[in-house]
Amino acid sequence: MNVNESAENYLETILILSKQLPVVRSVDIANELGFKKSSVSVAMKNLRMKNHITVTDAGFIYLTESGKAIAEMIYERHRLLTSYLVHLGVDEKIAAEDACKMEHVISRESFEAIKNHAKNAHLS
């Protein structure tokens, strides 16, 4: 699952929007991220070519198995790291911003260690 940070952010956004909206379209992603629709269209084309999403004729975007796996991994990291930082006393807004950066670069081993620590400390 070698995917760049931008692709991970798009996949995570699609996952989050799919929990909030009946269908996800490029315009929804553009609005959520504050990007131009043209930029989102290019990203969706790349994600489609890598088989991380499918797009219907009506423009509805769905995660494939691989896309969903990546999105769920990033979203889990984001939620846990945000929660962990808040527990350590970091302001929630700053914690969320930092978690958004950390979620892409942290190793699986380090994340699992934090996850286990949070679980044992009853933080998650």
Side-chain angles (χ1 to χ4, degrees):
M1 278 195 284
N2 191 4
V3 181
N4 68 31
E5 182 177 333
S6 175
E8 289 175 345
N9 280 333
Y10 277 111
L11 293 170
E12 180 185 25
T13 300
I14 294 166
L15 176 70
I16 292 166
L17 289 174
S18 71
K19 294 172 185 279
Q20 302 168 354
L21 304 171
V23 293
V24 178
R25 300 163 302 146
S26 288
V27 67
D28 301 318
I29 298 166
N31 290 338
E32 180 70 18
L33 297 174
F35 294 164
K36 292 179 185 173
K37 192 172 179 309
S38 58
S39 299
V40 173
S41 293
V42 170
M44 294 305 103
K45 180 181 178 190
N46 291 334
L47 291 173
R48 196 172 59 244
M49 288 173 44
K50 293 178 180 174
N51 295 315
H52 294 313
I53 63 167
T54 58
V55 182
T56 67
D57 290 341
F60 302 152
I61 300 166
Y62 297 97
L63 295 169
T64 62
E65 276 189 47
S66 66
K68 189 171 184 179
I70 295 165
E72 287 176 342
M73 175 193 68
I74 295 299
Y75 189 51
E76 176 189 28
R77 288 177 175 198
H78 183 87
R79 287 190 334 254
L80 182 76
L81 291 169
T82 300
S83 169
Y84 195 69
L85 292 170
V86 168
H87 179 75
L88 294 174
V90 177
D91 174 79
E92 192 168 343
K93 184 176 188 285
I94 293 169
E97 290 171 2
D98 288 346
C100 195
K101 296 169 192 162
M102 294 165 61
E103 67 196 26
H104 303 286
V105 297
I106 192 168
S107 70
R108 178 171 283 154
E109 181 180 358
S110 292
F111 179 73
E112 288 300 320
I114 291 171
K115 186 174 169 180
N116 288 333
H117 180 266
K119 186 177 180 182
N120 292 335
H122 307 292
L123 303 177
S124 58

